[in-house]
């Protein structure tokens, strides 16, 4: 065999949910998956929050711990399903009292605090639309998304509001209510106290009829050009969250589960909140930031059984002394409860899979999906062989393919038709057959962009992949210019636009430069206004400017001055060429380069 394979020893007493891949795929239907959920009482529809919270209470499981929130100071607050039902009912009632109703957008700009779970699930109960933002975003991305997403309510903290929203409020006339979690609302004009509002609200709430097609979630993602795109997801997505968490994360109701993804990212929502609660597991929530010792301690002390994390985090763990001295980790921390580890968001290098086996005693199961797909689409499964470096195989209910590419790097579309790559190992654009429940239903206010993602009955992912002769998928790269940095999808246009607002900058081209830990870092090439000197001080100033405006998750980490940025004849900076030059790669077709003959 051309690749190394790892076969996971079955965890004693916990048979995997998926054992026979072919059989499970052939037996699977989405309508059967739908029947594993309860639906609203009286047949009044399907609501994510009911499936995640209230149905456990209705079936005598209300006493079970839903959340175990570990604070920055290591204090642990536990919240049962019954308590979560009451808190989310209070929040839904508070929204109703404020006149916020069906389809209104409620944004969160919060870290992983208990109130986040209340706000998300309470919003869904009220049939309003929840849109989470990264708390690491700077004021520009926050303002832009609040505007684009028609935000009516924002739930945040006093510190985040002061730093990122307060002085932009005038440009957000539709933002009717800002709810401040924790202290500080009294000192901030135009805000209300989340705690006071929810404390005063009744703790019973009847979820109104909810159509499976009602919008539930809005997730912003980035494209190569233009404004961020708001991907619309509906309540029916919960069917896919539930089924895929069963197969790809192997969740069992008795599990203690930890998802380290930021709640501002689709993973932090689909698999950090909805899917695990629908499965009725106990969710570990860490409010703190990454710290290798802290993470090992949480895995050990909280007796985490299933862990869903990201390649950057794993590479950071691998780099710590603890990780390098392999034998130290199991000796210092009791990881005996851990039975399944999965990762998503960026390519998982084979070394990380093997490191997991050696250090954690378990291989890491890579899986693949996107904001638009709403759920895991390709995965390595608990009961199946792992091919390190491969994303795995399509989840039951998903149909994937690889399409032949055209000159622009994307799928070749001729007279509306595409061609599937038949030969194993040949790369092309990864495509999926639409129709699964968590498929996005549109980009908010942008029908054209949504329609452009489909061709000939396929959804085009923008990723390049190849498929081996046994049907395993291998990630090759992006077919466009978006940058994956430490798991965040960064749109180069957003960064370029921010830099060009600095008085010294006339033009900017932004690329991802490969980095051994973050996958890529954001690097900006800027050309300066005539007469401006490219000094080290200006470089520092631009880095700080970017950080202040965009926040650490998006801002460039490197700046290079270049008075001759390569441009197409139509005047666009050629990022592809900047990247090729930076990496010493072949420059490819330059016929569109300005000045070429
Ligand atoms: P996002 O919409 O922010 O979740 O980003 C989705 C993109 O992340 C995908 O289109 C891929 O480019 C990348 N991605 C997600 N999972 C993987 C994976 N397992 N391996 C490689 N790239 C991945």
């Amino acid at each position: 065999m051309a690749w190394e394979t790892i076969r996971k020893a079955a965890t004693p007493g916990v048979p995997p949910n998926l054992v026979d891949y072919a059989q499970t795929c052939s037996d699977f239907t989405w309508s059967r998956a739908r029947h594993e959920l309860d639906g609203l009482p009286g047949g009044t529809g399907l609501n994510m929050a009911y499936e995640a919270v209230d149905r456990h209470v209705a079936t005598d499981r209300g006493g079970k711990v839903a959340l175990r929130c570990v604070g920055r100071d290591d204090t642990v607050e536990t919240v049962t399903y019954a308590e979560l039902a009451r808190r989310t009912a209070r929040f839904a009632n508070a929204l109703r009292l404020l006149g916020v109703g069906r389809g209104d957008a409620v944004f969160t700009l919060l870290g992983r605090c208990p109130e986040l779970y209340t706000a998300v699930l309470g919003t869904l109960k009220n049939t309003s639309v929840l849109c989470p933002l990264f708390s690491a975003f700077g004021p520009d991305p926050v303002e832009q998304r609040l505007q684009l997403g028609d935000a009516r309510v924002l739930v945040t903290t006093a510190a985040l509001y002061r730093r990122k929203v307060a002085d932009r409020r005038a440009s957000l006339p539709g933002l009717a209510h800002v709810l401040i979690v924790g202290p500080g609302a009294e000192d901030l004009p135009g805000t209300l106290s989340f705690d006071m509002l929810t404390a005063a609200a009744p703790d019973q709430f009847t979820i109104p009829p909810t159509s499976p097609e009602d919008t539930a979630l809005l997730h912003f993602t980035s494209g190569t050009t233009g404004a961020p795109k708001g991907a619309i997801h509906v309540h029916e997505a919960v069917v896919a969250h539930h089924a895929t968490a069963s197969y790809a994360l192997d969740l069992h109701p008795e599990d203690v589960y930890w998802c380290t993804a930021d709640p501002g990212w689709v993973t932090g929502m689909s698999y950090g909140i909805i899917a695990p609660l629908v499965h009725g597991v106990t969710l570990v929530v860490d409010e703190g930031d990454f710290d290798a010792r802290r993470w090992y301690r949480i895995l050990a002390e909280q007796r985490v059984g299933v862990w869903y994390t990201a390649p950057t985090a794993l590479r950071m763990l691998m780099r710590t002394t603890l990780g390098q001295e392999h034998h130290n980790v199991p000796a210092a921390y009791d990881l005996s409860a851990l039975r399944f580890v999965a990762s998503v968001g960026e390519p998982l290098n084979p070394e990380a899979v093997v490191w997991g086996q050696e250090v954690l005693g378990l291989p890491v199961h890579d899986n693949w999906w996107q904001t638009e797909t709403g759920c895991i689409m390709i995965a390595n499964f608990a009961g199946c062989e792992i091919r390190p470096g491969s994303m795995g195989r399509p989840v039951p209910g998903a149909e994937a393919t690889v399409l032949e590419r055209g000159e622009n790097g994307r799928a070749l579309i001729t007279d509306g038709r595409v061609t599937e790559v038949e030969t194993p190992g040949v790369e092309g654009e990864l495509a999926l057959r639409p129709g699964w429940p968590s498929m996005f239903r549109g980009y908010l206010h942008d029908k054209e962009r949504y329609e452009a993602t489909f061709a000939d009955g396929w959804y085009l992912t923008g990723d390049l992949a190849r498929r081996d002769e046994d049907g395993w998928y291998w990630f090759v790269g992006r077919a466009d210019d978006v940058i994956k940095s430490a798991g965040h999808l960064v749109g180069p246009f957003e960064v370029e636009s921010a830099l060009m607002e600095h008085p010294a900058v006339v033009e900017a081209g932004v690329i991802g430069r490969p980095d051994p830990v973050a996958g890529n870092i954001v690097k900006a090439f800027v050309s300066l206004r005539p007469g401006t000197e490219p000094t080290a001080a200006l470089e520092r100033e631009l880095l700080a400017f970017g950080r202040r405006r965009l926040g650490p998750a998006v801002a460039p980490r490197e700046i290079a001055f270049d008075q001759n940025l390569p441009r197409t004849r139509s005047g666009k900076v050629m990022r592809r060429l900047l990247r090729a030059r930076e990496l010493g790669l072949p420059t490819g077709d330059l016929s569109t380069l300005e000045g070429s003959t």
Side-chain angles (χ1 to χ4, degrees):
M1 224 167 353
W3 49 71
E4 189 186 355
T5 61
I6 291 184
R7 198 174 288 275
K8 177 187 179 302
T11 315
V14 188
N17 291 326
L18 187 155
V19 180
D20 185 334
Y21 177 73
Q23 191 63 49
T24 311
C25 288
S26 94
D27 292 346
F28 183 89
T29 65
W30 286 114
S31 93
R32 232 172 275 146
R34 164 74 180 80
H35 286 295
E36 297 204 1
L37 301 177
D38 290 0
L40 284 173
T44 55
L46 181 69
N47 183 293
M48 279 183 181
Y50 182 83
E51 301 303 324
V53 187
D54 292 11
R55 73 163 178 154
H56 301 303
V57 182
T59 48
D60 266 351
R61 287 170 288 168
K64 183 164 182 198
V65 173
L67 307 176
R68 238 191 256 156
C69 304
V70 184
R72 286 180 191 276
D73 59 358
D74 283 353
T75 51
V76 178
E77 176 183 345
T78 55
V79 182
T80 62
Y81 278 91
E83 175 59 16
L84 192 58
R86 285 190 291 271
R87 291 187 188 184
T88 50
R90 285 182 193 282
F91 188 73
N93 279 314
L95 286 179
R96 193 175 275 181
L97 212 77
L98 293 172
V100 177
R102 191 182 292 274
D104 288 335
V106 177
F107 278 59
T108 52
L109 179 67
L110 289 170
R112 291 182 208 83
C113 56
E115 291 83 354
L116 170 79
Y117 298 79
T118 305
V120 167
L121 296 157
T123 298
L124 295 173
K125 279 189 169 179
N126 193 43
T127 61
S128 302
V129 177
L130 192 283
C131 179
L133 296 177
F134 277 106
S135 49
F137 275 156
D140 282 6
V142 169
E143 179 186 4
Q144 192 180 26
R145 285 160 178 78
L146 289 171
Q147 274 171 350
L148 289 170
D150 308 319
R152 271 209 77 197
V153 180
L154 171 67
V155 186
T156 186
T157 63
L160 290 169
Y161 180 72
R162 232 180 252 121
R163 287 211 313 270
K164 309 189 180 198
V165 187
D167 62 1
R168 313 283 177 112
R169 194 74 189 266
S171 70
L172 299 164
L175 183 60
H177 309 286
V178 173
L179 312 185
I180 299 291
V181 168
E186 56 288 356
D187 303 325
L188 293 169
T191 70
L192 296 167
S193 160
F194 175 96
D195 299 346
M196 279 170 62
L197 257 178
T198 48
D203 66 4
Q204 299 292 318
F205 181 87
T206 304
I207 299 177
T210 313
S211 156
E213 285 301 313
D214 279 350
T215 303
L217 301 166
L218 181 66
H219 282 291
F220 278 98
T221 183
S222 298
T224 304
T225 55
K229 306 175 278 187
I232 296 168
H233 290 282
V234 297
H235 279 273
E236 201 200 7
V238 66
V239 176
H241 297 154
H242 180 256
T244 52
S246 180
Y247 294 135
L249 301 180
D250 199 41
L251 280 189
H252 290 60
E254 59 279 9
D255 279 324
V256 174
Y257 166 79
W258 184 22
C259 171
T260 62
D262 191 286
W265 180 32
V266 69
T267 302
M269 180 61 62
S270 298
Y271 298 99
I273 302 182
I274 311 289
L277 294 177
V278 176
H279 274 273
V281 308
T282 293
L283 193 55
V284 172
V285 176
D286 177 25
E287 210 175 335
D289 299 320
F290 175 84
D291 171 88
R293 281 194 168 72
R294 179 183 177 86
W295 277 31
Y296 285 128
R297 195 156 44 75
I298 289 177
L299 286 172
E301 286 176 1
Q302 300 301 327
R303 309 289 299 149
V304 172
V306 177
W307 190 34
Y308 195 23
T309 189
T312 295
L314 290 167
R315 287 191 291 265
M316 278 154 69
L317 287 179
M318 286 167 75
R319 290 194 127 201
T320 60
T321 332
L322 275 172
Q324 282 159 19
E325 296 161 18
H326 290 171
H327 54 282
N328 269 355
V329 172
Y333 301 93
D334 175 7
L335 303 183
S336 57
L338 198 59
R339 64 170 194 84
F340 186 75
V341 182
S343 141
V344 70
E346 325 149 50
L348 181 70
N349 32 326
E351 304 76 48
V353 180
V354 174
W355 173 86
Q357 182 81 66
E358 288 175 353
V359 178
L360 307 173
L362 298 166
V364 183
H365 295 72
D366 188 18
N367 55 54
W368 176 96
W369 59 294
Q370 310 178 300
T371 302
E372 286 85 346
T373 71
C375 75
I376 299 169
M377 298 303 290
I378 296 179
N380 288 284
F381 304 97
C384 304
E385 163 201 335
I386 290 180
R387 297 185 174 176
S390 159
M391 310 188 285
R393 289 175 289 178
V395 296
E399 184 186 348
T401 194
V402 174
L403 300 177
E404 275 180 23
R405 297 166 70 189
E407 274 178 12
N408 65 359
R410 301 290 308 262
L412 177 67
I413 306 172
T414 315
D415 299 329
R417 307 308 300 258
V418 297
T419 311
E420 292 184 55
V421 170
E422 299 296 344
T423 319
V426 173
E427 58 183 72
E429 182 165 355
L430 179 63
L432 301 162
R433 185 74 78 192
W436 67 97
S438 66
M439 171 77 186
F440 74 133
R441 300 297 199 265
Y443 290 125
L444 193 69
H445 308 317
D446 203 342
K447 196 156 170 250
E448 215 175 290
R449 246 168 146 188
Y450 173 69
E451 283 169 356
T453 62
F454 299 91
D456 201 8
W458 293 99
Y459 161 67
L460 311 177
T461 66
D463 278 3
L464 303 178
R466 56 196 161 78
R467 183 174 43 192
D468 66 30
E469 55 266 46
D470 302 312
W472 262 260
Y473 283 78
W474 300 72
F475 182 79
V476 173
R478 286 291 305 187
D480 56 19
D481 290 338
V482 293
I483 302 161
K484 260 275 156 151
S485 180
H488 296 277
L489 201 65
V490 178
F493 180 76
E494 192 167 6
V495 182
E496 290 159 2
S497 309
L499 287 173
M500 281 157 65
E501 286 190 24
H502 189 281
V505 176
V506 243
E507 193 150 44
V510 166
I511 62 161
R513 187 172 71 63
D515 177 85
V517 176
N520 290 284
I521 59 157
V522 177
K523 175 162 187 169
F525 294 82
V526 297
S527 64
L528 300 174
R529 224 162 266 294
T532 311
E533 284 303 309
T535 61
L538 180 59
E539 186 184 331
R540 280 195 300 276
E541 185 184 321
L542 289 176
L543 287 170
F545 178 81
R547 230 180 130 83
R548 220 166 37 243
R549 302 290 293 257
L550 297 165
V554 184
R557 291 252 300 272
E558 277 181 17
I559 300 263
F561 296 114
D562 184 341
Q563 289 307 99
N564 296 302
L565 289 177
R567 269 181 297 182
T568 60
R569 289 205 185 94
S570 60
K572 277 195 259 167
V573 173
M574 281 180 94
R575 301 182 189 118
R576 179 171 59 83
L577 188 52
L578 283 172
R579 194 172 142 79
R581 284 181 185 165
E582 173 76 15
L583 305 182
L585 299 172
T587 48
D589 177 14
L590 296 182
S591 57
T592 56
L593 183 67
E594 189 186 48
S596 65
T597 48

